[in-house]
Amino acid sequence: MSRLNQLTAILLAAFLILPPAPLAGKTRKGDKLRNEARNEELKGNFDHALELAEQAMTTDPSDPSYVLEVRRVRFEAGAAHVKAGQKLRSDGKLDEALAEFQKALGIDPSSDISEQEIRRTKEMIDRNKNGGKPSASNISPEEMKTLTPSELARKEQQQRIDSLLPVPELHPMNNMDPLKMQNQKPRVLFETVCKLAGVNVLFDPEYTQQQTITQVSVDLNSTSLEQDLDQLSVVTKSFWKPLSSNTIFVTVDNPTKRREYAEQVVKVFYLSNVTGPQEMQEILTVLRTVVDVQKVFNYTAQNALIVRAEADTMALVEKLISDLDKPRGECIIDVMVMEVSSSYMRTLSTGGIGATGLNTSAVFAPRPGITTPGIQSSSSSSTSTTGTTTTTGSTTTGGTTTGTTTGTTGSSSVTTVPFSALGHISSADYSLTSLPGAQFEAILNDSSTRVLQSPQIRATDNVKASIKIGEKVPTASGSFQPGVAGVGVSPLVNTQFTYLDVGVNVDILPRIHENGDVSAHMELDVSQVDNYQNLGGISEPVIGQNKATADVTLKDGVVNLIGGIIQDTNSKAITGIPGLANLPILGRLFNSENIQKNKTELVIAIIPHVVRIPYFTSSNLKGVAAGNSTQIKVNYAPQAPGAPVAPQSTGLVTTPASTGPPATAPPMSAMPMPPPVTAPPAPAGPPAPGGPARISFLPPNGVDTQLSQQVTVSLYAENVSDLVSAAAHLQFDPRIVRITNIVAGDLPQKNGAQLQPAKNILNDTGTADASVSRGPNSGGVSGSGNLLSITLQAVGRGTTSIAVSGVALTASTGQPIASNTPPVLVVNVR
């Protein structure tokens, strides 16, 4: 039986030593696929990573690790396609962007941003197809079959909302020429001006009866119809408003008529930079006080304002909100607390003499033959004996040695000596106590401590920011007396405690100026628990504190000292035997010397780094004409010749008349739209066949971007014949922009494979060289298109230009192709 038990134990031990059994084949395959998916994810290949993760999940669909991997990678893959689509859309490639958004939605159907971007991109495509105006197509029969009744109702409601029109915009058919009219009635003046502009005019039935001015002379040399109508309104005391793009209505200008006929506008303003209810309330106060808007309400959930006001008042509200709703400045504050402390202590002493001096007592201890035997008196009824010393000596009397003396130390007894024995007292009856020893002591202690604390905090302009690094230490702040007298209660039961923040505590309220300076109110507290002290039965902490409070103005990136202390303490103490301790050399044997030096240096410095400064444009700083004290009236500047009419929610927009088409020109809506931004600039005249190639930048009007953003521009070529290679030398200001990449354009790659240009980008010196060639067997290309696409990165604020100092175009015959020097590209970084 024992052998059977031993055999069983051996088998169990062998099973424990053996490695675990391998997992099922599909699980090992799934782990391998999941690891490969993670590697592809780290490389940025999210589509391949999703494919591998889905294959891993098929091996074991019940494994939560595989399911979580698929869900996580699906989200990242969808987000990657959304970012790619947004970049393509910013480059003007709407169809490719729409395809990327649709891929993102197919990968991650739960992505709301994909649906939003698809809807937004489709609207942009429809707007471009309709000449810049959004489409208002009805629901198709095929789509109606797929909609539920509730979805159909919501679709129709959304179409009704989209079909709501803003304030009518006046589009005159003809441009205004200088006009002079003498002694005419107000009605005739309006009719004449509108007839010349191709605009219909309607009058209030009460206009003729209430008009008091009968005849007026005017000389109109305005540049737009609105200015002519405004001048007529002033001299005739009339009020006009557009009813449609080619019709106006005229009535008497008085408060009653304005309330009846002034156009009311309702608009929702979504504020993107408001961070609290106080800021929202301040904007409401501005609107109600400055522009006298009474019908305004704030919707806190969306940081939105709903405003209803007249058209001109609404235009002024738009400007005020645009000026006030701006991102606040931000800064990062580096706080440096540097403390250096050193302690030096030296002790030299001779034990027994140097440390305490000479302290010796002479004790009278008479021999037994001198004292009166059996006669001793005590000064106290009770004698406390702390120690007993027994001394045994010997005397010789007739050859016999006997004698024993016993003394008691530490008692208050009195020894009695008779007068007859006084002559026998000698030095043998006295003794010395506490004689100094011969020990020498030398101690040296030299220590130093360096402390560097450097917390960092990011703060928003005019918003208090705090950072607390450390711990909370309890300390007693109050107590109360128990109700029952004489009852013992623990001090911890009736004591109230307060927790103190001990460590690094920083409170800062910054104010960032437009020039990059930072004004701040700072409270810096660097503290630690030095020791504990017992107060009333409670161990209270003793906190060492270094605190600084300051209001300062600092420059960006500059180290500023705001506080500090240098403390130097020296002490020296000598203890020893008077006289002997002062001897030149031998005095070291009779004294004790203690020297101590303590030095502490503490410096508190801060370094501000401005992340964002308040940015105010010229539009924010300029004043705007707002009418008189009783009526708000705004005016619009004329647009540039040939510029498209920008849709406005309020006000009147027209095209200038001085340089426009003749009086017989068709309506503005029938005129051809100008070319889009991505089109090449319009040439001064048709180029002659076989003439020099024309090189220019796209967009031709320059680039306006923001800091840290990327933008792509193109070097465009026109009238190119038999091109096989192109090279360009670029010059730019590396303090404002940098070139991150240069790729081949569509013209060199026409009817051929993908080309990779040879490039040498030197961002430190602000130069770049790029060249692209089609190859010996590809032949030349002719026509127009992009030579190179250049990706710029904005690294600094300001306005700069990118110039092409040299362009070299080569034909298939090896001969150079004549070309112009392209104009510079202006880049404005905000």
Side-chain angles (χ1 to χ4, degrees), residues 354-374:
T356 60
L358 184 61
N359 185 9
T360 303
S361 300
V363 180
F364 178 62
R367 291 165 292 173
I370 297 176
T371 59
T372 301

Side-chain angles (χ1 to χ4, degrees), residues 171-383:
H171 291 193
M173 297 179 61
N174 303 326
N175 293 303
M176 296 301 298
D177 294 328
L179 179 63
K180 185 175 183 179
M181 292 178 286
Q182 297 288 339
N183 300 326
Q184 298 294 333
K185 292 184 178 181
R187 187 182 185 103
V188 176
L189 295 177
F190 279 102
E191 290 177 344
T192 303
V193 172
C194 293
K195 192 71 174 179
L196 293 175
V199 175
N200 301 322
V201 57
L202 300 178
F203 292 94
D204 185 5
E206 301 178 2
Y207 180 72
T208 305
Q209 291 80 6
Q210 296 184 7
Q211 199 67 21
T212 58
I213 301 177
T214 57
Q215 292 183 351
V216 177
S217 298
V218 293
D219 190 359
L220 303 176
N221 292 310
S222 303
T223 58
S224 65
L225 175 61
E226 284 82 2
Q227 293 181 357
D228 292 343
L229 295 176
D230 289 340
Q231 292 183 21
L232 293 180
S233 299
V234 172
V235 298
T236 61
K237 296 183 179 180
S238 302
F239 165 67
W240 71 275
K241 74 168 189 175
L243 297 179
S244 64
S245 60
N246 62 346
T247 304
I248 68 170
F249 175 78
V250 181
T251 185
V252 181
D253 189 5
N254 56 49
T256 303
K257 293 296 182 181
R258 285 213 176 244
R259 284 193 298 269
E260 291 179 3
Y261 295 107
E263 197 73 33
Q264 294 284 324
V265 180
V266 177
K267 187 173 182 179
V268 180
F269 296 92
Y270 295 95
L271 308 181
S272 58
N273 299 295
V274 172
T275 57
Q278 180 182 357
E279 300 175 21
M280 179 73 75
Q281 188 61 39
E282 290 176 352
I283 293 179
L284 285 174
T285 304
V286 169
L287 298 182
R288 289 169 178 160
T289 305
V290 178
V291 293
D292 195 21
V293 176
Q294 301 300 325
K295 299 179 180 179
V296 56
F297 180 78
N298 65 304
Y299 184 60
T300 308
Q302 294 289 341
N303 271 350
L305 290 178
I306 301 96
V307 183
R308 183 173 186 262
E310 295 184 6
D312 287 342
T313 304
M314 186 64 71
L316 201 56
V317 169
E318 290 178 352
K319 183 187 185 311
L320 291 177
I321 292 180
S322 175
D323 295 344
L324 297 177
D325 185 27
K326 285 186 170 293
R328 291 188 175 188
E330 293 186 40
C331 64
I332 294 178
I333 304 294
D334 289 332
V335 181
M336 300 180 64
V337 181
M338 296 166 287
E339 182 178 0
V340 178
S341 60
S342 62
S343 176
Y344 174 86
M345 182 177 64
R346 188 187 69 182
T347 302
L348 298 176
S349 65
T350 302
I353 298 178
T356 60
L358 184 61
N359 185 9
T360 303
S361 300
V363 180
F364 178 62
R367 291 165 292 173
I370 297 176
T371 59
T372 301
I375 303 176
Q376 290 185 353
S377 62
S378 177
S379 61
S380 175
S381 60
S382 62
T383 304

Side-chain angles (χ1 to χ4, degrees), residues 147-154:
L147 297 176
T148 65
S150 59
E151 292 175 345
L152 179 61
R154 284 194 294 267

Side-chain angles (χ1 to χ4, degrees), residues 535-653:
L535 298 176
I538 301 176
S539 180
E540 294 284 347
V542 178
I543 298 176
Q545 188 180 56
N546 299 315
K547 187 173 183 180
T549 301
D551 291 275
V552 292
T553 300
L554 314 170
K555 291 187 177 296
D556 181 20
V558 178
V559 180
N560 301 271
L561 301 180
I562 65 169
I565 184 175
I566 298 177
Q567 184 177 2
D568 195 352
T569 304
N570 298 327
S571 62
K572 181 178 181 181
I574 298 178
T575 304
I577 301 176
L580 297 178
N582 297 327
L583 294 177
I585 297 176
L586 298 178
R588 290 291 184 183
L589 300 175
F590 304 100
N591 67 12
S592 173
E593 183 182 71
N594 189 344
I595 297 176
Q596 187 172 357
K597 297 180 180 180
N598 295 321
K599 186 175 182 180
T600 302
E601 298 181 8
L602 174 67
V603 176
I604 301 177
I606 64 172
I607 308 172
H609 304 281
V610 177
V611 178
R612 183 191 299 117
I613 63 175
Y615 180 71
F616 303 104
T617 64
S618 59
S619 176
N620 302 138
L621 301 176
K622 75 175 182 180
V624 176
N628 51 44
S629 60
T630 59
Q631 184 63 40
I632 293 178
K633 180 68 173 69
V634 297
N635 300 297
Y636 295 91
Q639 296 184 352
V645 178
Q648 300 286 340
S649 60
T650 62
L652 307 174
V653 180

